Amino acid sequence: MRTPLCTLGIMVSAVACTDVELTLAGFPVVAEGLYCTESASTYDLPIRILLVIDTSRSMELNDPQGYRGHAAAELVTTYASADNVSFAFVGFNTGAVALTPGFTNDPAVLGAALAQLNTMEGFTNYLDALAMADTMVTNDLAEVAAAIAAAEAAGESVRFLRPWYFVVFLSDGIPRMPGGVLQDTDQILWRVEQLVDVPAEAAGLTLHTAFLGASNDEQRPAAELLLSKMAEVGGGSYTSFEAGEEIDFTVFSFAVKRLFDVKQLLVYNRTAVLTPLGWQADSDGDAIADVAELELGTDPLAEDSDGDGCRDGFELRAGLDPTVAAYCPCAEQGEPDSDADGLLDCEELFLGYDAERFDTDGDLFPDGLELRVGTNGADGDDWKEDLDFDGVASGAEIRQGTDPVRADADSHARHAYRFAVERVSTLGEAETCYQVQVTNLPTARTAGTAHHQEGINQLVFQMIESPEDAAETVFTLRQLVVDIAFTRMHPPTVAIDPERFVTISRQELPEP
């Protein structure tokens, strides 16, 4: 039933009688589907590559041509132009020895050490090799810690000072010592665990392993099993090379991947407002219900009724008059929204927000959404508070679609969105995926505007993500807008399509 507002006795001072109506909302709809984060990407960190190479006597049979040294030289050459990559070498037989004084990309130092990788004497001491690798990493991290302390004292970022270590461990046999004594597998794997467990000064450590030997070598099954377990514990990969054939260390990945994870899931209907009478249409999406706009004298079909460059919802919440053009802090219509948070830069400047950050106060609620619901985008703690004293914290009300600044406990119980989110997979270790369902989402009968047809509702889904290496400082805002038609029969199910999410903004906060 459509009831023109002028027949209800509502005062209309600046807008003529329209088809905008006071109506009950449609049946709540369900949104569901799969959401996947951004794909993992490589990023620049200092990379340290440590080659731990078997130099035992059995290499006379398995690598008489010295392909170990050639492979190491080729790997160094591959990264010769990469300023962030440095190398160190360890050789091991009955004992282990550092062949470089530390990590370096000095060609002269590396060239002098390469020849020693082709030594062929003694037995196969895995434990000493891993202990020496740990010592090399620990000594390097002492220098890194000093550099980090100096940067922190100067107020500089330290994120890209922390190196990632890649250890490549190559052997042609089982860990056999003089007298035929075999080293204990559990001790070896414990050593790997200790090596991988790097302190905070390091971004991380990955252990790759490789076997070099003949296909009919009796020791091969046991050696391959052990080296495979070492790689598994070390978070790396395992490969094998045939005796007498060339070796290629570039088969291993030395790229550091940033995996992303979801920090916040937000949903709202841009074209509906929850009022004491329930959900009402907000046809122009300015966060003021159509019926309230008619009372205010603003145009329910235009975001900026007085044409001064500031939207009605902003002016109302900023204490300005949305019917008088003289008060707008924006110079003209069409000013930019640099951080894509739903507020123009000029509006953010007036409010004291940061126009370059979509979430000025770092509380995981975008500034535009905070203005829409009435909380303070420059107060990082108000989401924890119960601003309207109705027993529900403001952050929960924003997430669940109720009013955080109006006591509405009964309304909250009836109108709050309901979420079901389950982490289901990581696609190829590149994307983190979630099965998402949101129920009790509202619709309202909107009037047609310049941006949408009559009856169309715009549901906005926003995901805030962070990379695992900078979970508290680097944030990405991704968004999906879905148009659905108002209906009071057979409400639709809205599909959440991961392919339709668009990255609209990024921000980086100072390190704590």
Side-chain angles (χ1 to χ4, degrees), residues 246-257:
E246 291 193 5
I247 299 167
D248 182 7
F249 290 135
T250 63
V251 298
F252 297 113
S253 173
F254 300 105
V256 181
K257 295 287 188 180

Side-chain angles (χ1 to χ4, degrees), residues 13-36:
S13 60
V15 182
C17 184
T18 73
D19 283 337
V20 170
E21 62 175 317
L22 179 65
T23 179
L24 295 175
F27 292 126
V29 301
V30 175
E32 60 185 11
L34 190 68
Y35 175 76
C36 294

Side-chain angles (χ1 to χ4, degrees), residues 20 53 88 130 198 218 280 297 442:
V20 170
I53 305 299
L130 292 169
V198 288
E218 293 181 357
Q280 293 292 315

